[in-house]
């Protein structure tokens, strides 16, 4: 029985008894009550479905969405699953289940703000120094990437979120939400997330909303679609170290070559890239040192020998802010990069196992005001580091120390404006993330060791190695 029920001096009601089993240890009734009071969603009169019960009910809609192979279960089916042992109250009374329309009104009355606040309470890193695959070079391994979630094909969703495809061409069948997440590689815990229209917001734009969650002491892994002068500078200004894959056709001349085969170069500014490209096109030798971010480049190959079929060799190129080759050797960084795939495993848990493969979000309405989180205060890319004329010393390139952040860190706040209407799609996405964060929190400190890709081994130029699959 909740403390609020005790204060009011009444017997426990039907809705007060709803729980989520083991996840109630992570999302306790006290936490839910605090979130409801914070967002102003506490009920003013006694209801058959109090606000706390509706929170657990909406979370259950996500947790049980794949329980039926034909589609997400109905409202009353989910509520019956939650209350199967609780509907026989004292005094021989049998509590009837609310109708589907009553559940719909209760969900609309609750809105999405409590789930945004609940997600912000439960998200965050979970690993300890003993968690397998969670740390490298003394840094916490994190990764970010984007994915898409299908929503019902309604005119409102189509106008709000749009479709995959250019120039109005529908290539996705259903409107889609673009979700950008920052996760911890060792535990798959969601540190932060942002979502918006797939037609109008790229991964680069949504990534800027996650910058406030990057911290010194992290090593951020990303694929080659994120590499760029501006976003690199914004991420590096938080004090976080970076190890991103970049495109192989980028021209990054070495300033000096390090003993492990990697080399130090400059990621030029857009204007500098134009100047260097014009010089190469006309056969001129560029003068002066380029302006941009000082980075370390690691070129290596991955050789796959399958049991059947030809041998496959793919070239990779990494750019990292870890300039000290003694602290972060090139071979270890190349072997470490495969952990970026842990975010794909995290998306699989969210989309395939939790939601159900082939299913879409059930909500048919959306509210643009609740989708768009307030953009972080703009952090200008840091000025290009001064490029020394000799090999860097350990004091210049050491990655042990945390560099001071160039901007103050802000606490995550609710994405909705006070006058925003309830958003059922936002509620669905937020509560899925809250449920996933809670599920990850329930297995915190246990972590799943990250295993290398079978049959794949990075081969640096100095020591080319191949493995058989």
């Amino acid at each position: 029985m909740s403390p609020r029920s005790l204060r009011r001096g009444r017997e426990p009601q039907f809705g007060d008894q709803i729980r989520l089993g083991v996840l109630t240890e992570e999302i306790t009734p006290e936490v839910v009550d605090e979130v409801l009071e914070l967002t102003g969603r506490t009920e003013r009169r006694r209801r058959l479905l109090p606000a706390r019960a509706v929170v657990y009910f909406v979370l259950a809609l996500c947790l049980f969405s794949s329980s039926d192979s034909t589609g997400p279960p109905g409202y009353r089916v989910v509520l019956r699953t939650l209350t199967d042992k609780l509907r026989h109250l004292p005094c021989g009374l049998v509590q009837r289940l609310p109708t589907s329309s009553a559940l719909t009104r209760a969900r609309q009355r609750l809105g999405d703000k409590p789930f945004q606040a609940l997600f912000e309470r439960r998200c965050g890193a979970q690993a300890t120094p003993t968690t397998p695959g969670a740390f490298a070079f003394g840094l916490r391994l994190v990764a970010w990437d984007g994915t898409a979630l299908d929503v019902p094909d309604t005119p409102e969703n189509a106008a709000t979120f749009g479709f995959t495809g250019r120039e109005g061409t529908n290539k996705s069948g259903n409107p889609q939400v673009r979700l950008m997440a920052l996760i911890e590689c060792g535990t798959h815990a969601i540190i932060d997330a942002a979502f918006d229209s797939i037609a109008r917001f790229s991964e680069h734009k949504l990534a800027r909303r996650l910058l406030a969650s990057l911290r010194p002491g992290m090593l951020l892994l990303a694929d080659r679609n994120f590499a760029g002068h501006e976003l690199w500078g914004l991420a590096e200004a938080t004090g976080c170290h970076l190890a991103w894959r970049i495109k192989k056709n980028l021209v990054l001349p070495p300033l000096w070559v390090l003993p492990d085969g990697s080399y130090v170069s400059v990621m030029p500014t857009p204007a500098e890239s134009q100047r260097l490209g014009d010089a190469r096109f006309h056969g001129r030798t560029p003068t002066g040192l380029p302006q941009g971010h000082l980075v370390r480049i690691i070129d290596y190959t991955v050789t796959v020998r399958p049991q059947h079929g030809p041998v496959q060799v793919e070239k990779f190129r990494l750019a990292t802010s870890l300039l000290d080759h003694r602290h972060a050797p090139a071979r270890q960084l190349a072997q470490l990069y495969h952990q970026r795939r842990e975010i794909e495993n995290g998306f699989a848990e969210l989309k395939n196992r939790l939601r159900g493969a082939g299913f879409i979000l059930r909500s048919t309405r959306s509210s643009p005001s609740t989708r768009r989180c307030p953009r972080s205060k703009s952090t200008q890319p840091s000025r290009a580091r001064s490029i020394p004329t000799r090999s860097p010393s350990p004091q210049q390139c050491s990655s042990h120390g945390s560099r001071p952040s160039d901007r103050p860190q802000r606490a995550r706040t609710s994405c909705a404006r006070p006058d925003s209407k309830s958003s059922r799609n936002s509620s669905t996405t937020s509560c899925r993330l809250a449920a996933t964060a809670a599920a990850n929190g329930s297995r915190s400190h246990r972590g799943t060791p990250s295993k290398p890709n079978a049959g794949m081994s990075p081969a640096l130029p100095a020591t080319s190695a191949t493995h058989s699959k």
Side-chain angles (χ1 to χ4, degrees), residues 262-263 296-300 316-320 329-330 333-334 460:
S262 62
Y263 62 91
R296 179 174 163 216
I297 305 300
I298 301 172
D299 290 308
Y300 65 99
F316 281 72
R317 172 177 282 187
L318 295 183
T320 179
L333 276 170
L460 298 176

Side-chain angles (χ1 to χ4, degrees), residues 247-276:
K247 297 179 180 180
K248 298 184 290 290
N249 59 355
L250 294 179
V251 180
L252 298 171
L255 297 180
W256 59 83
V257 180
L258 300 175
D260 61 355
S262 62
Y263 62 91
V264 177
S265 184
V266 173
M267 182 180 294
T269 64
E272 194 71 8
S273 296
Q274 182 69 30
R275 184 181 73 87
L276 297 176

